[in-house]
Amino acid sequence: MTLAALGDSLTQGYGLPMEDGFVPQLQAWLRASGADVDVINAGVSGDTTAGGLSRVAWTLTPDVDAMIVNLGGNDLLRGIDPAVSRANLDGILRTAQDAGVDVLLVGLDAPSNYGPAYKAAFDAMYPELAQTYGLDLYANFFASLQDGTDLMGVRVLYMQSDGIHPSAVGVGKIVDGIGPAVLSLIAQ
C-alpha cells in the first residue's frame, strides 16, 4: 500500500535529519505494527492550504491508495481567513474523493490571539469537513504532546528551539498518537 502525507513543514520534517522526520518515523511505526506500507513525503515547508490544493492532483498518482492531509498551520501563522482555508481544504478533499482515495484529515487548534470568532471558525472547519466527506479526523496534530505537561514543559521536552516544530522525540510521540488512526485509514 502507498500512503501520501500531504502537508507543510510538520509533515516534511523541518529542522530534523531526514530519518527523524514525521514520514520516516510514521513509516517505521506502521511497519513495526505489521502494515506493509510505503509513506510518500508530500510535505512542503511553508506550505498553506492553497499550496496543498495546487499540489494535490499531482500528489495523487495512480499508486496512491490513501492520504493524510495535514495542512493549516501556516494559514494560522499568516492569519488567513478561515473561510479561505476551509475552501482550500474542501478542494483537496474533493480531489481525493474524485480519485477514490481515502483520507485521514489532521486538524490543529487555533490560538486565541486572532480573537474568538477566528478561533471558532478555524477550529470548526476540520470536524465539519470530516463530517461532510465522511472522513476520519485526527483532531489535533499536537494532541499527544499535551500529556498534562504545561506549555513550557512541552516546548522544552518535545519542540525544537523555534517552539513551532517538534523535535525528533516530539515527532515520536506524535507518531505514537496518530499511528492507530493511520492504521485504521489503511485498513479501509
Side-chain angles (χ1 to χ4, degrees):
M1 163 163 269
T2 300
L3 172 67
L6 181 69
D8 52 29
S9 58
L10 299 174
T11 302
Q12 180 265 333
Y14 176 86
L16 298 172
M18 187 169 44
E19 66 274 7
D20 290 338
F22 175 72
V23 170
Q25 286 201 47
L26 177 63
Q27 181 165 306
W29 189 97
L30 292 169
R31 288 189 175 167
S33 299
D36 183 14
V37 61
D38 290 319
V39 186
I40 296 171
N41 192 341
V44 173
S45 188
D47 215 358
T48 62
T49 56
L53 178 58
S54 72
R55 297 186 293 113
V56 69
W58 57 264
T59 298
L60 293 175
T61 67
D63 297 338
V64 173
D65 302 300
M67 181 170 65
I68 299 168
V69 175
N70 179 26
L71 287 162
N74 289 308
D75 296 51
L76 272 175
L77 291 173
R78 295 175 184 161
I80 293 172
D81 182 344
V84 172
S85 302
R86 181 188 186 109
N88 292 330
L89 287 170
D90 183 74
I92 291 167
L93 300 176
R94 192 172 341 101
T95 301
Q97 184 180 56
D98 291 347
V101 172
D102 290 325
V103 172
L104 173 64
L105 182 60
V106 180
L108 290 168
D109 291 337
S112 58
N113 59 317
Y114 292 118
Y118 184 98
K119 179 170 177 46
F122 190 92
D123 290 352
M125 75 180 172
Y126 294 104
E128 289 172 358
L129 285 167
Q131 183 176 11
T132 297
Y133 285 92
L135 304 174
D136 289 338
L137 172 68
Y138 189 76
N140 183 348
F141 183 78
F142 294 108
S144 58
L145 299 185
Q146 300 162 352
D147 58 2
T149 306
D150 64 27
L151 184 58
M152 189 54 75
V154 167
R155 286 191 174 140
V156 169
L157 293 171
Y158 306 125
M159 302 299 280
Q160 295 179 45
S161 61
D162 64 8
I164 296 172
H165 298 94
S167 65
V169 171
V171 169
K173 281 192 63 83
I174 289 166
V175 166
D176 287 343
I178 199 172
V182 178
L183 280 176
S184 177
L185 170 69
I186 62 177
Q188 296 175 22

